Amino acid sequence: MNQLDVNLQHSIVILAAKGWSARKIARELGVHRETVGRYLQAVEDSKPAIPPTGSQKDCDSKPAIVPAGSKLGRTSQCAPLSEVIEQGLLAGLSAQRIYQDLVTDHAFCGGYDAVKRFVRQLAHRVELPFRRMECAPGHELQVDFGQGAWVLNDGKRRRPHLFRAVLSCSRKGYSEVVWRQTSESFIRSLENAFRYYGGVPVTVVIDNLKAGVIQADWFDPELNPKLEEFARHYGTVILPTKPVMPRHKGKVESGVKYAQNNAVKGRSFESLTAQNRYLSDWEKNVADTRLHGTTRRQVGKLFEEVERAALQPLPAGLFPVFEEALRSVHRDGYVEFKKAYYSAPPEYVGRQIWVRQEIRLLRLYNTRREQIALHALAEPGKFTTDVAHLHSRKRHIIERGADYLLDRCRLIGPFTGTWAEAMQQNRGPQSLRVMQGLLQLAGKHPAVQLEKAASVATHHGTWRLRDLKRLLELPGNVVQLDFLETHPLIRSLDAYRIEPSANLNPNQNP
């Protein structure tokens, strides 16, 4: 029988006592009618019989079995062996293995289901101990944020964020306060920590702060692209912890509390710089000289003797300062960033790309972080165009330049090319429009006619397009078609010749 909650069982009994039917009780409580009926029957059967007059008060009738969930009930057969079962659970044994050991070693006579139920009850009470995770030197750096000391700025109090990094092996720490937890400030604090240690750890463990993690996921988190670029620059790996699981970075959790309680609690500073200067002295004179409770070694000495040499070397240069954002390429082929417009390759129209602003440059990247364009920074309202980004069908013919137009004219013929070159020398900038008109004439007239007209125009030294058109309209430039004298379909003239002796009068009788 399905076991209902104790409150539901009590409600069924109370409503039945008020005279409600099983159907009405089932509809009211949202349970099946047959279930209500079984519980009412069980209650009825559990009532002790009224002893007849003169009978003994002490009867041997067994009390009813209390439904599951009640405090009273049968004692489990596994109760005498509870300590043995708890030890098996702590050792990570399954219920089946525990049952087998009980039968073999302790002559257990109960069933496997009894062991399963007992194990299920103990699982809520027995908590497995945490496993300590100790790291090799130079392998891991844990990072977290807390609250710094108050800063008095122009008579107003403001509390910054306390960034703290702790090396997992030596517990060597680095502290810094920043006003905001942006991706840029987070990356610069990490970089300052690397420079302070004089090396780079293999992995960096962070929590799921928005400045570093876009989409939290224990198995496959989506990191901030800028943070990924930073990790590649320094040759390290960013590993976010499981969401809402601070014990995954317990060393820095306790490190933040230590810095808050020992360094900044009860203090105030006149500026952010003053607080950072104090934290630097505190790390050197207090935090590094303490005897750590776990390692039983001085933090600074353990770092110098064991961990400093195990860190990876620093890269040659600092991580470049840049700002980037995700933008969509407009229909005109431009992408907007800080009110300036930059051209993108035509195949990215309507798609999203990454825009990265450096000191004097602006780089465009596709979603695979491959560079697709490079521009110089432009002022707001200005357009920067790369000629290679203009589609051939959208590129004006004049934009291609005079050399391109001359090459097109030379393809018509040698006289046309000669006339175009001479015309450019005589007309100057206006020659671009003239050559464009000449190419249009080549599409309307045969090349032979245009060559003849260009030869005459060059001979007479006329460099106007209208003169070239008049030469094309002269009768001498009309193409004469030669008549064929012989052809299979053409009859000979002898076939139409009339004999002199033939009778030409059709009415005359022979």
Side-chain angles (χ1 to χ4, degrees):
M1 180 173 68
N2 294 331
Q3 300 293 338
L4 296 180
D5 187 85
V6 177
N7 294 328
L8 283 177
Q9 299 177 24
H10 184 67
S11 300
I12 290 174
V13 175
I14 295 299
L15 294 177
K18 292 183 178 181
W20 285 36
S21 64
R23 185 188 299 273
K24 187 175 180 180
I25 294 174
R27 184 169 57 250
E28 179 68 22
L29 300 180
V31 297
H32 199 276
R33 184 180 60 185
E34 295 181 358
T35 304
V36 175
R38 284 197 298 267
Y39 270 94
L40 292 177
Q41 185 64 37
V43 173
E44 187 69 24
D45 295 341
S46 64
K47 291 180 180 179
I50 300 174
T53 305
S55 63
Q56 296 180 357
K57 293 183 179 180
D58 298 331
C59 60
D60 296 334
S61 61
K62 295 181 180 179
I65 299 174
V66 180
S70 302
K71 294 182 180 179
L72 300 178
R74 290 177 177 174
T75 302
S76 175
Q77 294 175 299
C78 301
L81 301 171
S82 60
E83 294 184 2
V84 178
I85 296 175
E86 286 185 8
Q87 293 176 2
L89 285 177
L90 292 176
L93 302 181
S94 63
Q96 179 67 35
R97 169 64 185 280
I98 293 174
Y99 168 71
Q100 294 172 0
D101 292 346
L102 291 178
V103 173
T104 304
D105 302 334
H106 301 277
F108 181 68
C109 299
Y112 172 59
D113 290 336
V115 177
K116 280 200 307 182
R117 287 192 297 268
F118 196 79
V119 167
R120 193 178 300 118
Q121 294 174 3
L122 286 180
H124 299 290
R125 297 183 308 177
V126 178
E127 186 175 355
L128 296 177
F130 292 109
R131 179 185 175 186
R132 293 194 59 86
M133 301 299 293
E134 296 300 329
C135 298
H139 183 75
E140 184 182 86
L141 175 72
Q142 296 184 4
V143 177
D144 198 9
F145 277 97
Q147 284 188 332
W150 291 103
V151 175
L152 301 177
N153 189 4
D154 297 333
K156 297 181 180 180
R157 294 204 312 167
R158 187 178 176 187
R159 202 164 192 173
H161 299 281
L162 173 62
F163 170 88
R164 184 155 174 82
V166 174
L167 287 169
S168 297
C169 178
S170 63
R171 272 61 167 189
K172 170 75 172 177
Y174 170 79
S175 301
E176 179 182 348
V177 287
V178 294
W179 286 125
R180 299 175 61 195
Q181 291 187 29
T182 62
S183 59
E184 183 65 26
S185 64
F186 180 56
I187 286 175
R188 295 307 158 190
S189 298
L190 272 177
E191 188 171 48
N192 293 338
F194 293 164
R195 299 287 167 177
Y196 175 75
Y197 294 134
V200 182
V202 177
T203 59
V204 178
V205 178
I206 66 173
D207 59 3
N208 294 276
L209 73 166
K210 294 182 178 179
V213 181
I214 297 177
Q215 182 64 45
D217 191 318
W218 170 241
F219 300 103
D220 190 15
E222 182 180 357
L223 299 180
N224 188 311
K226 192 173 183 179
L227 184 61
E228 286 186 331
E229 192 80 15
F230 170 81
R232 283 193 292 269
H233 178 81
Y234 276 94
T236 186
V237 179
I238 306 296
L239 297 177
T241 61
K242 192 173 184 178
V244 199
M245 198 66 67
R247 67 172 181 265
H248 283 184
K249 50 180 180 60
K251 298 177 180 63
V252 75
E253 289 282 341
S254 58
V256 170
K257 293 179 183 178
Y258 173 65
Q260 287 178 325
N261 295 328
N262 190 281
V264 300
K265 189 174 184 178
R267 302 181 185 274
S268 61
F269 299 88
E270 68 277 5
S271 65
L272 201 69
T273 305
Q275 187 168 172
N276 281 326
R277 189 182 301 113
Y278 170 80
L279 288 172
S280 178
D281 295 337
W282 174 82
E283 288 283 359
K284 183 186 303 181
N285 301 322
V286 179
D288 285 357
T289 59
R290 79 188 191 277
L291 189 67
H292 196 273
T294 302
T295 62
R296 310 307 301 171
R297 298 277 302 275
Q298 251 191 3
V299 173
K301 289 185 178 179
L302 183 60
F303 170 74
E304 294 293 340
E305 295 174 1
V306 177
E307 194 155 23
R308 180 186 287 275
L311 295 173
Q312 301 177 108
L314 293 168
L318 296 174
F319 184 64
V321 177
F322 63 84
E323 181 180 355
E324 66 178 6
L326 198 62
R327 291 289 188 270
S328 296
V329 181
H330 300 165
R331 292 181 60 187
D332 58 0
Y334 288 85
V335 61
E336 182 270 334
F337 185 75
K338 291 188 176 181
K339 299 181 180 180
Y341 302 89
Y342 304 89
S343 65
E347 60 268 22
Y348 290 93
V349 172
R351 296 165 59 183
Q352 286 190 327
I353 61 174
W354 284 98
V355 180
R356 176 185 296 182
Q357 176 188 347
E358 297 179 1
I359 299 177
R360 294 183 178 87
L361 299 175
L362 186 126
R363 302 178 187 270
L364 304 183
Y365 294 88
N366 57 19
T367 54
R368 297 187 300 273
R369 311 299 295 182
E370 299 170 346
Q371 182 173 316
I372 59 175
L374 176 64
H375 297 281
L377 283 181
E379 297 179 357
K382 300 295 184 180
F383 286 79
T384 301
T385 306
D386 189 341
V387 179
H389 297 161
L390 297 176
H391 196 277
S392 59
R393 295 176 58 184
K394 295 296 183 179
R395 191 179 304 177
H396 198 274
I397 193 171
I398 296 181
E399 294 177 343
R400 300 176 184 267
D403 293 336
Y404 172 79
L405 293 173
L406 284 173
D407 291 339
R408 292 285 302 276
C409 294
R410 294 188 187 102
L411 292 176
I412 301 173
F415 294 109
T416 306
T418 302
W419 183 87
E421 293 174 0
M423 182 271 302
Q424 182 194 22
Q425 296 177 1
N426 286 272
R427 301 289 300 275
Q430 295 179 346
S431 62
L432 298 178
R433 292 280 186 89
V434 177
M435 283 188 284
Q436 188 178 0
L438 177 61
L439 294 176
Q440 290 185 355
L441 288 178
K444 299 178 182 179
H445 299 273
V448 177
Q449 294 185 17
L450 197 57
E451 277 285 283
K452 185 176 180 181
S455 175
V456 174
T458 304
H459 178 73
H460 291 283
T462 176
W463 316 117
R464 304 300 296 263
L465 188 63
R466 64 171 67 97
D467 296 333
L468 200 62
K469 290 180 180 180
R470 280 198 292 265
L471 290 173
L472 289 171
E473 295 173 357
L474 292 177
N477 283 325
V478 177
V479 178
Q480 300 292 333
L481 297 178
D482 297 332
F483 291 100
L484 298 177
E485 297 182 358
T486 59
H487 194 272
L489 298 179
I490 300 177
R491 295 181 180 180
S492 174
L493 293 177
D494 296 337
Y496 301 97
R497 185 174 301 168
I498 302 174
E499 294 296 336
S501 61
N503 187 8
L504 299 179
N505 189 357
N507 297 324
Q508 184 178 0
N509 295 327

